[in-house]
C-alpha cells in the first residue's frame, strides 16, 4: 500500500509543478497585456471624424500619438442620407477630438460632438468661414488641407502639449506630399479659364470655381441637390446646351444619382460630351492626393476630346 502511494506521489509532483508553472506564465502574460492596454489608452489620442477625408488629415498630423476612426468610409452610401448607429454614438462619446464638416451636412456628427463636452472639436465650416448659402462640400475647396493643418496642430497640442513640435513637423510633411496636386491645379486652371461646364449635382463646385470654369446650368444641379426634379425648362436647357457644343465637360456625382441625373448623363454621352465622375466621399482605396489627382486626370482627358 505504502509503496503504491509513493509511486503515485512521484507521478503527481511533476504534473502539479507543470500546472503551477503554466499558471504563473499565463498570469504574467495577462498582466503585461493589461499594462500595455492601460498605457495605450492614456497615451494615444482618440480622434473621430464624420468624413474619411478629414480623418486622413488628422491621422497625418497626429502620427503615432493617436488613432483615428472615420464614420463615412464607403463611397457607396450617400452621406446626405446617412443615419448614425448606436455604435457611432458610443465612438463619439469616447473621442478626445471630433471633426465634423458642419453646415448641416453631417448634423448627426455636430450633435454627438456637442453632447461630448470634454472633447476638443473642429467644425470645418468655421475653419473655412462658411456663410449661409455657400457650398458645403468644403473638402473640395482647393485650400482645405492647408487650412486644416493649424486647427489640427492647435487642438492636438492642447490635448498633448509635449508633442506640439512633432505635430507641426507632421503637418509640414503632409503639405509637402500634396505639392503635385497644387501643380496640377495650376496647370489645369490655365487651360480651363473661361470654359463652360454643367454638373448634375454641386458636389465638386468648390473645386470648379477654383479652376475658373463656369457652370452654365445651375438651376439643374440646385434642384437635384435639394432633392427635387429640375423643372422642364432646365432639363430642356441641359439638352440644348449639350447639342450646341458649348460644354467642355459634364460633372456627375455617382453617389447622388436618380433617374433624372442618369438621363442627363446619358444625354451627354450621346452628344459626345465627356463626363467627369466625382464621388461625394473619399474612396477607401485612395488617399486624398490620389483621389483629387484622379479627378483632375479625368478633366485633363476631357479637354483633349
Ligand atoms: Zn453632396
Amino acid at each position: 500500500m505504502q509503496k503504491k502511494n509513493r509511486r503515485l506521489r512521484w507521478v503527481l509532483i511533476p504534473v502539479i509543478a507543470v500546472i503551477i508553472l503554466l499558471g504563473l506564465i499565463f498570469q504574467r502574460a495577462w498582466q503585461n497585456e493589461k499594462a500595455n492596454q492601460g498605457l495605450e489608452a492614456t497615451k494615444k489620442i482618440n480622434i473621430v471624424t464624420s468624413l474619411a477625408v478629414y480623418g486622413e488629415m488628422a491621422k497625418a498630423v497626429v502620427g503615432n500619438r493617436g488613432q483615428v476612426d472615420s464614420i463615412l468610409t464607403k463611397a457607396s452610401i450617400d452621406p446626405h442620407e446617412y443615419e448614425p448607429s448606436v455604435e457611432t454614438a458610443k465612438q463619439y462619446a469616447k473621442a478626445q477630438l471630433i471633426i465634423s464638416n458642419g453646415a448641416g451636412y453631417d448634423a448627426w456628427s455636430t450633435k454627438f460632438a456637442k453632447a461630448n463636452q470634454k472633447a476638443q472639436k473642429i467644425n470645418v465650416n468655421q475653419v473655412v468661414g462658411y456663410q449661409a448659402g455657400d457650398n458645403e462640400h468644403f473638402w473640395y475647396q482647393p485650400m482645405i488641407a492647408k487650412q486644416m493643418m493649424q486647427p489640427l496642430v492647435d487642438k492636438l497640442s492642447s490635448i498633448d502639449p509635449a508633442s506640439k513640435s512633432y505635430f507641426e513637423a507632421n503637418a509640414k510633411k503632409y503639405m509637402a506630399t500634396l505639392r503635385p496636386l497644387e501643380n496640377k491645379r495650376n496647370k489645369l486652371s490655365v487651360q480651363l479659364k473661361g470654359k463652360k461646364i454643367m454638373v448634375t449635382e454641386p458636389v465638386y463646385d468648390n473645386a470648379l470655381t477654383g479652376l475658373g470654369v463656369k457652370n452654365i446650368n445651375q438651376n439643374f444641379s440646385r434642384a437635384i441637390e435639394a432633392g427635387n426634379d429640375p423643372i422642364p425648362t432646365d432639363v430642356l436647357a441641359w439638352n440644348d446646351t449639350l447639342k450646341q457644343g458649348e460644354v467642355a465637360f459634364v460633372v456627375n456625382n455617382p453617389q447622388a444619382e436618380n433617374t433624372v441625373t442618369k438621363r442627363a448623363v446619358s444625354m451627354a454621352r450621346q452628344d459626345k460630351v465627356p463626363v467627369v465622375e466625382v464621388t461625394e466621399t473619399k474612396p477607401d482605396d485612395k488617399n486624398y492626393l490620389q483621389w483629387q489627382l484622379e479627378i483632375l486626370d479625368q478633366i485633363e482627358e476631357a479637354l483633349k476630346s
Side-chain angles (χ1 to χ4, degrees):
M1 198 66 191
Q2 237 190 348
K3 224 178 181 183
K4 214 179 172 188
N5 265 349
R6 201 179 292 161
R7 207 185 296 153
L8 194 66
R9 205 182 297 152
W10 281 119
V11 175
L12 276 179
I13 286 171
V15 171
I16 290 168
V18 166
I19 290 173
I20 290 172
L21 199 68
L22 280 176
L24 281 173
I25 291 170
F26 275 125
Q27 198 196 6
R28 163 86 48 101
W30 185 69
Q31 277 173 342
N32 276 346
E33 176 79 3
K34 245 179 99 179
N36 279 341
Q37 277 175 2
L39 206 66
E40 261 170 33
T42 51
K43 269 180 98 181
K44 290 228 168 186
I45 301 175
N46 186 353
I47 304 168
V48 175
T49 75
S50 55
L51 290 167
V53 58
Y54 302 136
E56 175 184 314
M57 293 170 190
K59 181 73 205 153
V61 178
V62 79
N64 58 23
R65 312 278 153 91
Q67 82 124 43
V68 183
D69 282 308
S70 298
I71 306 301
L72 298 169
T73 51
K74 286 199 179 63
S76 52
I77 39 171
D78 181 356
H80 292 283
E81 269 145 42
Y82 173 77
E83 289 191 19
S85 63
V86 176
E87 212 41 58
T88 305
K90 282 186 196 157
Q91 270 178 296
Y92 272 78
K94 284 188 297 188
Q96 291 166 280
L97 171 62
I98 297 170
I99 307 177
S100 309
N101 186 73
Y105 185 81
D106 47 2
W108 51 273
S109 179
T110 332
K111 197 181 95 191
F112 289 156
K114 257 189 204 140
N116 181 344
Q117 291 180 349
K118 278 188 275 174
Q120 295 287 332
K121 286 136 210 172
I122 296 177
N123 293 306
V124 183
N125 60 327
Q126 288 165 2
V127 174
V128 300
Y130 167 81
Q131 311 232 316
D134 289 352
N135 187 298
E136 77 280 23
H137 304 87
F138 305 129
W139 58 97
Y140 276 123
Q141 289 191 8
M143 301 303 282
I144 190 69
K146 194 167 186 222
Q147 285 178 304
M148 286 295 285
M149 291 299 112
Q150 198 56 51
L152 276 167
V153 169
D154 290 346
K155 300 288 179 184
L156 290 171
S157 302
S158 75
I159 300 168
D160 178 4
S163 299
K164 190 173 183 213
S165 56
Y166 172 73
F167 298 143
E168 283 169 341
N170 285 347
K172 252 193 204 144
K173 244 186 265 166
Y174 181 70
M175 286 313 296
T177 65
L178 299 183
R179 254 175 234 142
L181 184 58
E182 208 185 317
N183 295 342
K184 183 124 195 178
R185 268 198 204 111
N186 291 341
K187 189 183 147 206
L188 272 178
S189 61
V190 176
Q191 290 175 263
L192 284 168
K193 195 142 234 138
K195 290 256 193 272
K196 292 171 186 167
I197 54 122
M198 293 198 295
V199 312
T200 59
E201 200 257 359
V203 64
Y204 196 55
D205 280 16
N206 284 327
L208 292 166
T209 307
L211 290 168
V213 296
K214 197 167 175 244
N215 179 355
I216 55 170
N217 191 348
Q218 289 199 18
N219 291 343
F220 188 99
S221 53
R222 276 204 199 115
I224 296 293
E225 197 189 28
N228 304 322
D229 280 347
I231 55 169
T233 38
D234 294 330
V235 177
L236 277 177
W238 178 281
N239 298 347
D240 286 346
T241 319
L242 287 172
K243 295 243 176 319
Q244 286 152 12
E246 277 185 62
V247 176
F249 57 88
V250 159
V251 175
N252 179 49
N253 175 358
Q255 253 170 299
E257 265 183 341
N258 62 27
T259 46
V260 180
T261 64
K262 278 184 187 161
R263 214 178 301 137
V265 167
S266 70
M267 193 67 71
R269 294 220 159 95
Q270 264 173 40
D271 290 326
K272 306 256 180 313
V273 176
V275 178
V276 174
E277 301 278 358
V278 179
T279 56
E280 187 96 25
T281 48
K282 186 177 82 60
D284 344 340
D285 58 340
K286 289 191 182 92
N287 64 26
Y288 170 70
L289 175 67
Q290 293 165 330
W291 177 36
Q292 300 300 308
L293 281 177
E294 198 253 333
I295 299 168
L296 295 176
D297 284 344
Q298 288 186 62
I299 293 178
E300 196 170 40
E301 209 46 50
L303 290 177
K304 286 178 193 162
S305 61

